[in-house]
Amino acid sequence: AKEREPSGVSYGQNPALAATAVGEAQARLTGLRLRELVLDYAAVRIPEKGGSYTKLIRQFFKYGILMLVVDEPDELSRGWMGTEPLPSRLYAGETGGSAFSFKKLFEGGDNDVFSIQCGDIGSFVKKEAQVLAEEFLYLSYLKRHFAVYTDGLQSDPSEPGEMLEGLIYQLEYIIAGQGSDVGNLAEIAEKIFLIRFAMNLAVIFASGDCRAQIKSAAVAAVGFTGIGALIVLTELLLAMLWAAECALTEAGGLFMGGEVAFLPTAGSLPVTFRELSVISKELWQHKAEKYTEKEADGILTTYCEYLYLFLALKDRELRTMRTMDLVQQVIRLKYNGDFLMQNCICAVGTKTEVAIPYLFLPAAGIRFGEGIKQSKKYRISY
C-alpha cells in the first residue's frame, strides 16, 4: 500500500494516518509467529493423494467422532442385530389392536416391568427410595450379564472387518438402539465427547490464565481491524477449538480403559495452548495413553460409569425393551433359533383379600360395614 501511494491511490483526507495504520497492521501480522499463535502457516503442507490426512478424512465421514477417539476404527466389531421381531420394535410400533402387546406390561402404574409390588409398600418405604433401589438392581444386573466395549480391548472375538450376527457391545445398544456395534459405539463417543467438551470449555473460560492466552492471540490475529465483535468471536472460536481437542484426548483415554477426572482444572488440560496448531490424531492418542497409567478420584471417571449415567437417564420402558432384545438374541444364537420373547409368559400375579367381621360393635348397635378388610397383591412381570 505504501509503494502504491505515489501512483494516485487515495487515503482520504489524512494519507499519513492511513499509512500509519497499514504499518501497524503489517507489524502485527509479521509478529504472528513470534507470539506463538495457533496457526503456523509456514508449516502447512498439502497432503498427497492417499496420504494419512486423506485416510483420516475418509474415516471421519464413515465413523464420525468415533474414529478420533479409538486407535483403529476399522478393527471394531462388525456385529449386527438380526432381522427377527424385536420387543423394542414391536413396542415402538404397537397401535393397540394386536392380541399381544408389550405396552400392556407397563400399564396400570404399579405393574412395572422387572419389578415386584406389594400393596402396602408405600406406607413403609418412600417412592424415591424404591426407585433408587430398582435402579441399583437393574444396573447390577446389566453389569453382571452384558458386555461393553472396554471388555474386549484385550481380546475381541471378531476378526477385523468380519460381519457377524450378534452384538458385542451390548450396553451401548441399550443406550443407542442402533442395529450395529459400530453405530452404537459412534453414538456413545459423541455423547462422551459433548460432556467432556462442555466441562473443558467451562474450565477455560473460568481460568484467567487461559483467557489471557486466548485474548492475546485473538487481538494479535484480528485486532488490527478495530472490530471488537470480531475479536470476541475469535476468542470464542479459539476457546472452542481448545476445549474440543482436550475432549477428544480425554474421550480417547476413556475408550482405552483409562480414568479421567470429571472436573478438570486449568493445569490438568491435556492439550496446551501452544499445541493447538498440531491437529493430529497421533498426538491425541499419545496423550490419551497417559490416562491409563494413573487413577482419577471422584465420580464419572471411567467409560463404564458414563454408560451407567446414560442408562439412568434413559426412558425406563424403552431400555427394558432393548434389554429384552439382547436376551432374545443371545437365546436364539446359543440355544434355540426360533425363540421369541413375545411367546413367553409376561406376568404372574396373585391377590388375596381377608375380611375380619366386627365382634363387639354390632352388639352395641354401631355399624361400620361388614368388618375390617385387608388386601395383599404380589406380582412379577418380565
Side-chain angles (χ1 to χ4, degrees), residues 297-315:
D297 298 327
I299 60 173
L300 292 178
T301 60
T302 65
Y303 174 81
C304 288
E305 290 179 357
Y306 278 89
L307 294 186
Y308 299 148
L309 171 65
F310 300 148
L311 285 169
L313 298 176
K314 204 70 181 177
D315 179 76

Side-chain angles (χ1 to χ4, degrees), residues 181-202:
D181 277 329
V182 173
N184 292 319
L185 206 60
E187 185 167 329
I188 297 300
E190 292 177 3
K191 291 179 180 292
I192 294 179
F193 168 79
L194 291 176
I195 292 178
R196 299 311 312 163
F197 173 79
M199 297 302 300
N200 289 318
L201 190 61

Side-chain angles (χ1 to χ4, degrees), residues 36-229:
E36 297 179 341
L37 297 182
V38 177
L39 294 178
D40 182 0
Y41 295 100
V44 175
R45 296 291 184 271
I46 299 177
E48 298 180 359
K49 184 178 180 180
S52 58
Y53 282 96
T54 306
K55 178 182 178 181
L56 198 68
I57 294 174
R58 288 201 309 267
Q59 289 183 339
F60 182 79
F61 280 106
K62 184 177 180 180
Y63 300 106
I65 293 294
L66 178 62
M67 60 82 52
L68 298 175
V69 300
V70 298
D71 187 17
E72 290 294 338
D74 292 334
E75 296 182 1
L76 296 173
S77 167
R78 291 298 186 271
W80 59 284
M81 182 64 74
T83 57
E84 67 273 5
L86 298 175
S88 64
R89 296 174 186 172
L90 294 174
Y91 178 83
E94 285 177 6
T95 59
S98 59
F100 177 84
S101 173
F102 280 106
K103 289 184 181 295
K104 292 180 181 179
L105 295 177
F106 297 97
E107 296 175 353
D110 290 338
N111 299 328
D112 291 336
V113 175
F114 293 145
S115 64
I116 300 176
Q117 304 290 337
C118 297
D120 58 351
I121 192 172
S123 60
F124 299 99
V125 183
K126 292 183 178 180
K127 184 179 180 179
E128 291 77 8
Q130 179 183 353
V131 171
L132 290 176
E134 291 179 358
E135 290 293 320
F136 174 77
L137 292 175
Y138 174 74
L139 293 179
S140 299
Y141 168 77
L142 295 181
K143 182 178 181 180
R144 180 186 295 266
H145 296 287
F146 294 90
V148 299
Y149 167 74
T150 52
D151 293 339
L153 290 179
Q154 302 300 328
S155 58
D156 196 324
S158 64
E159 294 294 331
E162 178 186 358
M163 297 291 295
L164 71 158
E165 185 176 0
L167 298 176
I168 304 298
Y169 313 141
Q170 297 175 321
L171 284 191
E172 288 85 347
Y173 170 76
I174 298 177
I175 298 170
Q178 301 295 327
S180 66
D181 277 329
V182 173
N184 292 319
L185 206 60
E187 185 167 329
I188 297 300
E190 292 177 3
K191 291 179 180 292
I192 294 179
F193 168 79
L194 291 176
I195 292 178
R196 299 311 312 163
F197 173 79
M199 297 302 300
N200 289 318
L201 190 61
V203 168
I204 290 173
F205 277 116
S207 171
D209 182 61
C210 293
R211 294 197 64 180
Q213 296 182 71
I214 293 174
K215 187 174 184 63
S216 176
V219 170
V222 297
F224 68 91
T225 64
I227 305 175

Side-chain angles (χ1 to χ4, degrees), residues 33 45 51 111 116 150-151 169 179 226 229 237 277 293 330 369 372 379:
R33 292 190 61 187
R45 296 291 184 271
N111 299 328
I116 300 176
T150 52
D151 293 339
Y169 313 141
L237 294 177
S277 60
E293 301 172 357
V330 171
I372 302 174
R379 176 184 174 90

